[in-house]
Amino acid sequence: MRTALEDFRRNKTRTFLASLGIMIGVLSVVMLIALGIGLKNYIKNQFESMGSNLLMVMAGSGLGGEGGMAGMGASMMGGSIEFDEQDVNNLKRVSELDYVVPMFFSSVVVESQGEEEIGYVMGSNEEIFELLNMKVIGGELFTKADVQRRSKDVVLGYTVAKELFDEVESAVGKIIRIDNQRYEVKAVIEKKGDNEMDRGVIMAYKTTFGSLNPNKSFFMIYLGVDNEENIPAAKLKAEEELLKKYDEEDFSVTEQEELLDVVNQIFNMVNGVLIAIGSISLLVGGIGIMNIMYANVTERTKEIGIRRAIGATKRDILYQFVAESVLLSGFGGIMGLAISALIVLVVRPFFPLALNMLAIVLAIGISTFIGVFFGVFPARRAANLTPIEAIRYE
C-alpha cells in the first residue's frame, strides 16, 4: 500500500485521470439512485398533500383490472364511460362517504390585462378545498350556494395568479377571461408543488356546463372519509352504487395507497434501467484503469525485475499491482460518492433527493470490485515476468 501511494504521488495527473472514469461512473449510479428516491418522495408528498383517506373513481379498469400498471395506464387514457351529475348525487347517498367531489378538467388559455397564460380549468364543488387540503392566501372560497347558482367566481392556483398579476394577493377581485367568458377571481390558494394544481382555475362544476363542458361530464370523482377504518366499507358501498348503472369493467374505485404502490413499481422499473445505463460508465472507467495499469507494468518492467531479484515472490508482485488498482478505483469511488452527497445537499431544499445505504454500498463495493477485476490481468502479467528478462528490459 505504501509503495502504491508513493507511486501515485510521483504521478498525480495519471492517478487523477485513471480515477476519473470510476468517479464519473459512481457519480452517475449514485445520483440515479438518489433521483429515483427523490421522485418517490416527491410523489408521496404530492399524495399526502392531497389529503388522507382518499378514494378515486376513474373510468376504465384502473388498478382493479388485469395487468396492474397496464390497467392504470388504460384508465388514465380514459374509459368508455363518462361520469355525470347523477353519479355524484347517487354517491352522496352512501352514508360511509363524507365527501363526494366531482372533477372536470380542461387545459385553457387564461387572459387578464393583456397577459395570457396556460391554465387548467377544474370544475368541482365546494368540498374540494377541504378534501385536498387547499389553504387560502387571500380572498374567500366559493360555497355550495355559488355552485347551485352557477357563480362566475373562481379560485386561482398560486402560479397562474403570480404570472398574471405579479403580486398574488392583488389577483383577488380581478377579472380573467377564459374562452371569451368573464370570471372574477374570488381567492388564491397556496402553492401545492403540483403544476396542474398551481396553474388551476377552480370553479363551480355547474359553471362549466356550457362551452367549457358541453357534455356535463367528469373525468374523475374524488371520495373522502373522515375515519381511515371506514375506507374498505366506503369503497365497497361506492362500488355497489356505481354497479347499479355501470358494468364492473367500466370503472374502478382506487385507494390512494394502491395508486402509490403502482407508481412506485413504475419508478423502480425505470430506475433499474437508468442504473443499468449508468453502469456502462463504470465499465468504461474499469477498462481505463486496466489500460493505465497495463502501461504501468510496461513502464516499470525493470523495477519489477529488480524486486524479483532481491526476493519478491510472484504473489508479492501480484498483490502490489492489485493494491494499486484497488486504491485507484477506491479513490474514484469515494470521490464520486462525496460529490454525489454534495449535490444532494445543494438540491434537497428544492427537490427531495436522498442517499441510502444501497447507494453507499454500491459506490464502495462496485469501485473496489472493479479495481480487483480489472487489476488482476496487468498484475498477473507483472508477476509472471522472469527476473532476468525484466532487468534487461529496455
Side-chain angles (χ1 to χ4, degrees):
M1 290 292 184
R2 186 168 60 250
T3 304
L5 291 172
E6 287 172 1
D7 183 62
F8 294 160
R9 276 195 294 271
R10 286 195 302 269
N11 301 281
K12 294 184 180 66
T13 303
R14 186 176 68 184
T15 301
F16 172 74
L17 292 176
S19 297
L20 188 61
I22 297 296
M23 183 182 74
I24 293 172
V26 168
L27 177 64
S28 301
V29 172
V30 172
M31 286 309 301
L32 285 169
I33 293 174
L35 180 62
I37 296 171
L39 285 170
K40 287 182 185 178
N41 290 340
Y42 175 78
I43 290 171
K44 185 178 180 182
N45 292 340
Q46 291 302 310
F47 273 99
E48 288 176 350
S49 70
M50 289 173 65
S52 58
N53 308 335
L54 192 65
L55 296 168
M56 286 157 280
V57 181
M58 297 180 286
S61 59
L63 303 182
E66 296 180 1
M69 290 180 286
M72 188 187 76
S75 178
M76 295 303 287
M77 292 297 291
S80 58
I81 65 166
E82 291 182 328
F83 301 111
D84 55 28
E85 193 172 12
Q86 181 187 349
D87 298 319
V88 176
N89 293 331
N90 290 342
L91 287 168
K92 284 183 176 180
R93 294 202 296 264
V94 178
S95 59
E96 286 80 3
L97 295 174
D98 297 292
Y99 302 93
V100 178
V101 178
M103 178 65 76
F104 166 76
F105 186 90
S106 178
S107 176
V108 294
V109 175
V110 186
E111 181 187 357
S112 181
Q113 301 174 348
E115 296 287 332
E116 291 186 352
E117 296 294 338
I118 296 297
Y120 301 97
V121 166
M122 298 180 181
S124 190
N125 61 17
E126 74 287 351
E127 295 179 347
I128 188 174
F129 305 109
E130 187 172 355
L131 181 65
L132 301 186
N133 290 331
M134 297 182 185
K135 308 297 181 185
V136 178
I137 292 178
E140 295 180 356
L141 303 173
F142 61 75
T143 63
K144 185 175 182 179
D146 292 325
V147 175
Q148 296 300 322
R149 68 182 180 88
R150 303 191 178 193
S151 167
K152 291 277 190 162
D153 294 334
V154 300
V155 177
L156 291 187
Y158 183 92
T159 301
V160 72
K162 187 170 182 61
E163 289 180 351
L164 285 173
F165 304 105
D166 292 331
E167 295 294 329
V168 174
E169 292 82 358
S170 67
V172 178
K174 297 291 177 60
I175 301 298
I176 64 171
R177 286 182 174 273
I178 300 172
D179 210 18
N180 293 323
Q181 296 290 319
R182 288 165 50 92
Y183 301 90
E184 182 177 345
V185 179
K186 193 167 186 179
V188 178
I189 58 173
E190 286 183 355
K191 193 175 182 68
K192 296 282 286 182
D194 175 83
N195 182 58
E196 284 78 15
M197 197 67 73
D198 290 335
R199 287 186 169 275
V201 181
I202 306 169
M203 62 178 70
Y205 72 85
K206 289 195 175 186
T207 306
T208 68
F209 292 172
S211 61
L212 291 174
N213 185 12
N215 295 331
K216 300 182 179 181
S217 62
F218 309 112
F219 91 104
M220 180 184 290
I221 302 174
Y222 287 119
L223 309 176
V225 294
D226 286 335
N227 191 336
E228 185 178 354
E229 295 177 356
N230 293 337
I231 289 179
K235 180 180 178 180
L236 182 63
K237 291 293 181 64
E239 289 174 342
E240 289 176 354
E241 187 63 44
L242 290 168
L243 283 171
K244 295 176 183 177
K245 180 177 178 182
Y246 303 110
D247 294 330
E248 188 175 355
E249 64 272 11
D250 289 338
F251 69 92
S252 66
V253 181
T254 306
E255 294 181 39
Q256 224 175 356
E257 287 298 319
E258 290 177 308
L259 193 57
L260 186 58
D261 287 344
V262 171
V263 171
N264 282 337
Q265 287 178 39
I266 295 171
F267 275 109
N268 286 338
M269 187 182 300
V270 172
N271 207 34
V273 173
L274 292 176
I275 290 172
I277 294 171
S279 299
I280 294 173
S281 57
L282 278 173
L283 178 64
V284 173
I287 293 172
I289 282 184
M290 184 172 68
N291 289 338
I292 291 288
M293 293 306 299
Y294 194 92
N296 205 7
V297 169
T298 304
E299 275 181 21
R300 295 161 62 187
T301 300
K302 185 173 285 190
E303 175 195 324
I304 294 165
I306 294 171
R307 288 179 183 276
R308 291 293 310 279
I310 61 175
T313 65
K314 285 186 176 184
R315 180 175 291 183
D316 294 330
I317 301 298
L318 180 69
Y319 284 174
Q320 177 188 343
F321 281 89
V322 170
E324 289 186 17
S325 179
V326 170
L327 282 175
L328 273 176
S329 57
F331 173 72
I334 291 170
M335 287 299 296
L337 184 60
I339 294 172
S340 300
L342 184 62
I343 293 172
V344 168
L345 286 174
V346 172
V347 176
R348 191 171 178 80
F350 311 100
F351 187 78
L353 290 179
L355 292 178
N356 62 0
M357 282 304 298
L358 173 63
I360 295 171
V361 169
L362 277 177
I364 304 302
I366 291 179
S367 59
T368 303
F369 170 77
I370 285 175
V372 173
F373 184 81
F374 288 99
V376 165
F377 176 71
R380 281 176 61 84
R381 182 179 181 277
N384 288 330
L385 291 172
T386 58
I388 190 66
E389 290 177 355
I391 291 172
R392 292 174 59 187
Y393 181 81
E394 292 295 337

